[in-house]
Amino acid sequence: MLSTVWVVVTGAMYFEEIQSPGIPEANFLYVDADEFEKIPVANSRYEMRKTMTEVTFPTNVSLFTTPGEPDDKERALVPGFLIKIVEPRYAEVRAKRWDTVHLAIQVAFVPIAVVFALGGALVWAFSGFSKRPEDRKSH
């Protein structure tokens, strides 16, 4: 019973992280030469939002462009940005999700296995290390 409760509590603890794994943000700046430049994480997104337009994508990716409505040239670059930058991040999300699942399984079942192994070892030790029940010395 207690082991079942432990597994359920562990699953509840890791559920949110499995549903939406936290991957580091990636910020990119649109450069006029039809390219995207990765912005270092140390740069403040808050400051950039004051002077630029931010377009966010579901894989924790942001693209900063010139202020105002994007022009046709910027709109034409979005499919390429999706294929080149955003889509590969889905693999990173899946990898992070499976890493979390593996960690949750270890946290849920390893302590239970250790307790059962320790209990079995203690029972065997107190029984006199016999191989069969009939070999045990009776007092």
PDB file of all heavy atoms in Angstrom, residues 59 81-94:
ATOM      1  N   THR A  59       8.194  26.508 -28.783  1.00  0.00           N
ATOM      2  CA  THR A  59       9.323  25.763 -28.217  1.00  0.00           C
ATOM      3  C   THR A  59      10.272  26.672 -27.453  1.00  0.00           C
ATOM      4  O   THR A  59      11.472  26.445 -27.431  1.00  0.00           O
ATOM      5  CB  THR A  59      10.086  25.012 -29.314  1.00  0.00           C
ATOM      6  OG1 THR A  59      10.477  25.949 -30.315  1.00  0.00           O
ATOM      7  CG2 THR A  59       9.246  23.919 -29.924  1.00  0.00           C
ATOM      8  N   PHE A  81      12.415  30.164 -40.826  1.00  0.00           N
ATOM      9  CA  PHE A  81      12.765  30.210 -39.409  1.00  0.00           C
ATOM     10  C   PHE A  81      12.150  29.023 -38.673  1.00  0.00           C
ATOM     11  O   PHE A  81      12.792  28.405 -37.827  1.00  0.00           O
ATOM     12  CB  PHE A  81      12.292  31.533 -38.797  1.00  0.00           C
ATOM     13  CG  PHE A  81      12.689  31.715 -37.364  1.00  0.00           C
ATOM     14  CD1 PHE A  81      13.985  32.069 -37.031  1.00  0.00           C
ATOM     15  CD2 PHE A  81      11.768  31.535 -36.357  1.00  0.00           C
ATOM     16  CE1 PHE A  81      14.354  32.236 -35.708  1.00  0.00           C
ATOM     17  CE2 PHE A  81      12.125  31.703 -35.033  1.00  0.00           C
ATOM     18  CZ  PHE A  81      13.425  32.055 -34.710  1.00  0.00           C
ATOM     19  N   LEU A  82      10.910  28.706 -39.020  1.00  0.00           N
ATOM     20  CA  LEU A  82      10.249  27.564 -38.401  1.00  0.00           C
ATOM     21  C   LEU A  82      11.004  26.267 -38.686  1.00  0.00           C
ATOM     22  O   LEU A  82      11.229  25.457 -37.789  1.00  0.00           O
ATOM     23  CB  LEU A  82       8.806  27.448 -38.881  1.00  0.00           C
ATOM     24  CG  LEU A  82       7.831  28.482 -38.356  1.00  0.00           C
ATOM     25  CD1 LEU A  82       6.507  28.393 -39.100  1.00  0.00           C
ATOM     26  CD2 LEU A  82       7.616  28.304 -36.877  1.00  0.00           C
ATOM     27  N   ILE A  83      11.411  26.083 -39.931  1.00  0.00           N
ATOM     28  CA  ILE A  83      12.099  24.852 -40.313  1.00  0.00           C
ATOM     29  C   ILE A  83      13.518  24.796 -39.741  1.00  0.00           C
ATOM     30  O   ILE A  83      13.952  23.766 -39.233  1.00  0.00           O
ATOM     31  CB  ILE A  83      12.134  24.716 -41.858  1.00  0.00           C
ATOM     32  CG1 ILE A  83      10.712  24.488 -42.378  1.00  0.00           C
ATOM     33  CG2 ILE A  83      13.058  23.597 -42.291  1.00  0.00           C
ATOM     34  CD1 ILE A  83      10.572  24.608 -43.864  1.00  0.00           C
ATOM     35  N   LYS A  84      14.198  25.904 -39.787  1.00  0.00           N
ATOM     36  CA  LYS A  84      15.613  25.935 -39.390  1.00  0.00           C
ATOM     37  C   LYS A  84      15.815  26.005 -37.875  1.00  0.00           C
ATOM     38  O   LYS A  84      16.725  25.384 -37.344  1.00  0.00           O
ATOM     39  CB  LYS A  84      16.275  27.140 -40.052  1.00  0.00           C
ATOM     40  CG  LYS A  84      17.753  27.249 -39.840  1.00  0.00           C
ATOM     41  CD  LYS A  84      18.298  28.447 -40.600  1.00  0.00           C
ATOM     42  CE  LYS A  84      19.765  28.661 -40.335  1.00  0.00           C
ATOM     43  NZ  LYS A  84      20.264  29.871 -40.976  1.00  0.00           N
ATOM     44  N   ILE A  85      14.963  26.719 -37.162  1.00  0.00           N
ATOM     45  CA  ILE A  85      15.194  26.983 -35.738  1.00  0.00           C
ATOM     46  C   ILE A  85      14.157  26.308 -34.844  1.00  0.00           C
ATOM     47  O   ILE A  85      14.499  25.625 -33.884  1.00  0.00           O
ATOM     48  CB  ILE A  85      15.190  28.505 -35.463  1.00  0.00           C
ATOM     49  CG1 ILE A  85      16.190  29.242 -36.355  1.00  0.00           C
ATOM     50  CG2 ILE A  85      15.433  28.781 -33.989  1.00  0.00           C
ATOM     51  CD1 ILE A  85      17.632  28.887 -36.125  1.00  0.00           C
ATOM     52  N   VAL A  86      12.881  26.492 -35.145  1.00  0.00           N
ATOM     53  CA  VAL A  86      11.825  26.055 -34.223  1.00  0.00           C
ATOM     54  C   VAL A  86      11.633  24.538 -34.256  1.00  0.00           C
ATOM     55  O   VAL A  86      11.562  23.896 -33.206  1.00  0.00           O
ATOM     56  CB  VAL A  86      10.499  26.783 -34.526  1.00  0.00           C
ATOM     57  CG1 VAL A  86       9.386  26.279 -33.643  1.00  0.00           C
ATOM     58  CG2 VAL A  86      10.680  28.283 -34.357  1.00  0.00           C
ATOM     59  N   GLU A  87      11.553  23.944 -35.424  1.00  0.00           N
ATOM     60  CA  GLU A  87      11.303  22.502 -35.539  1.00  0.00           C
ATOM     61  C   GLU A  87      12.361  21.652 -34.833  1.00  0.00           C
ATOM     62  O   GLU A  87      12.003  20.695 -34.141  1.00  0.00           O
ATOM     63  CB  GLU A  87      11.183  22.094 -37.016  1.00  0.00           C
ATOM     64  CG  GLU A  87       9.945  22.619 -37.702  1.00  0.00           C
ATOM     65  CD  GLU A  87       8.651  22.052 -37.140  1.00  0.00           C
ATOM     66  OE1 GLU A  87       8.639  20.896 -36.709  1.00  0.00           O
ATOM     67  OE2 GLU A  87       7.660  22.796 -37.120  1.00  0.00           O
ATOM     68  N   PRO A  88      13.650  21.955 -34.980  1.00  0.00           N
ATOM     69  CA  PRO A  88      14.650  21.135 -34.249  1.00  0.00           C
ATOM     70  C   PRO A  88      14.491  21.197 -32.730  1.00  0.00           C
ATOM     71  O   PRO A  88      14.896  20.278 -32.028  1.00  0.00           O
ATOM     72  CB  PRO A  88      15.988  21.726 -34.677  1.00  0.00           C
ATOM     73  CG  PRO A  88      15.719  22.360 -35.995  1.00  0.00           C
ATOM     74  CD  PRO A  88      14.316  22.871 -35.910  1.00  0.00           C
ATOM     75  N   ARG A  89      13.886  22.245 -32.229  1.00  0.00           N
ATOM     76  CA  ARG A  89      13.686  22.355 -30.781  1.00  0.00           C
ATOM     77  C   ARG A  89      12.654  21.344 -30.266  1.00  0.00           C
ATOM     78  O   ARG A  89      12.649  21.010 -29.093  1.00  0.00           O
ATOM     79  CB  ARG A  89      13.256  23.769 -30.396  1.00  0.00           C
ATOM     80  CG  ARG A  89      14.237  24.853 -30.743  1.00  0.00           C
ATOM     81  CD  ARG A  89      15.176  25.170 -29.669  1.00  0.00           C
ATOM     82  NE  ARG A  89      14.500  25.725 -28.512  1.00  0.00           N
ATOM     83  CZ  ARG A  89      15.134  26.131 -27.445  1.00  0.00           C
ATOM     84  NH1 ARG A  89      16.429  26.055 -27.388  1.00  0.00           N
ATOM     85  NH2 ARG A  89      14.476  26.602 -26.416  1.00  0.00           N
ATOM     86  N   TYR A  90      11.772  20.859 -31.149  1.00  0.00           N
ATOM     87  CA  TYR A  90      10.815  19.838 -30.722  1.00  0.00           C
ATOM     88  C   TYR A  90      11.538  18.569 -30.294  1.00  0.00           C
ATOM     89  O   TYR A  90      11.120  17.889 -29.355  1.00  0.00           O
ATOM     90  CB  TYR A  90       9.800  19.535 -31.828  1.00  0.00           C
ATOM     91  CG  TYR A  90       8.733  20.586 -31.953  1.00  0.00           C
ATOM     92  CD1 TYR A  90       8.669  21.418 -33.051  1.00  0.00           C
ATOM     93  CD2 TYR A  90       7.775  20.750 -30.951  1.00  0.00           C
ATOM     94  CE1 TYR A  90       7.688  22.392 -33.162  1.00  0.00           C
ATOM     95  CE2 TYR A  90       6.796  21.719 -31.045  1.00  0.00           C
ATOM     96  CZ  TYR A  90       6.755  22.530 -32.161  1.00  0.00           C
ATOM     97  OH  TYR A  90       5.791  23.492 -32.244  1.00  0.00           O
ATOM     98  N   ALA A  91      12.629  18.225 -30.974  1.00  0.00           N
ATOM     99  CA  ALA A  91      13.426  17.063 -30.570  1.00  0.00           C
ATOM    100  C   ALA A  91      14.021  17.290 -29.184  1.00  0.00           C
ATOM    101  O   ALA A  91      14.092  16.369 -28.364  1.00  0.00           O
ATOM    102  CB  ALA A  91      14.526  16.797 -31.592  1.00  0.00           C
ATOM    103  N   GLU A  92      14.436  18.510 -28.904  1.00  0.00           N
ATOM    104  CA  GLU A  92      14.972  18.849 -27.591  1.00  0.00           C
ATOM    105  C   GLU A  92      13.887  18.726 -26.508  1.00  0.00           C
ATOM    106  O   GLU A  92      14.151  18.240 -25.407  1.00  0.00           O
ATOM    107  CB  GLU A  92      15.531  20.269 -27.622  1.00  0.00           C
ATOM    108  CG  GLU A  92      16.366  20.648 -26.447  1.00  0.00           C
ATOM    109  CD  GLU A  92      16.976  22.034 -26.600  1.00  0.00           C
ATOM    110  OE1 GLU A  92      17.151  22.515 -27.726  1.00  0.00           O
ATOM    111  OE2 GLU A  92      17.267  22.635 -25.557  1.00  0.00           O
ATOM    112  N   VAL A  93      12.672  19.135 -26.848  1.00  0.00           N
ATOM    113  CA  VAL A  93      11.547  19.018 -25.912  1.00  0.00           C
ATOM    114  C   VAL A  93      11.269  17.537 -25.633  1.00  0.00           C
ATOM    115  O   VAL A  93      11.085  17.132 -24.484  1.00  0.00           O
ATOM    116  CB  VAL A  93      10.292  19.725 -26.464  1.00  0.00           C
ATOM    117  CG1 VAL A  93       9.050  19.378 -25.654  1.00  0.00           C
ATOM    118  CG2 VAL A  93      10.503  21.222 -26.509  1.00  0.00           C
ATOM    119  N   ARG A  94      11.231  16.716 -26.697  1.00  0.00           N
ATOM    120  CA  ARG A  94      10.987  15.281 -26.513  1.00  0.00           C
ATOM    121  C   ARG A  94      12.079  14.635 -25.668  1.00  0.00           C
ATOM    122  O   ARG A  94      11.797  13.819 -24.784  1.00  0.00           O
ATOM    123  CB  ARG A  94      10.875  14.579 -27.862  1.00  0.00           C
ATOM    124  CG  ARG A  94       9.539  14.750 -28.538  1.00  0.00           C
ATOM    125  CD  ARG A  94       9.395  13.837 -29.745  1.00  0.00           C
ATOM    126  NE  ARG A  94      10.383  14.085 -30.770  1.00  0.00           N
ATOM    127  CZ  ARG A  94      10.304  15.023 -31.703  1.00  0.00           C
ATOM    128  NH1 ARG A  94       9.250  15.822 -31.729  1.00  0.00           N
ATOM    129  NH2 ARG A  94      11.247  15.174 -32.609  1.00  0.00           N
TER     130      ARG A  94
END
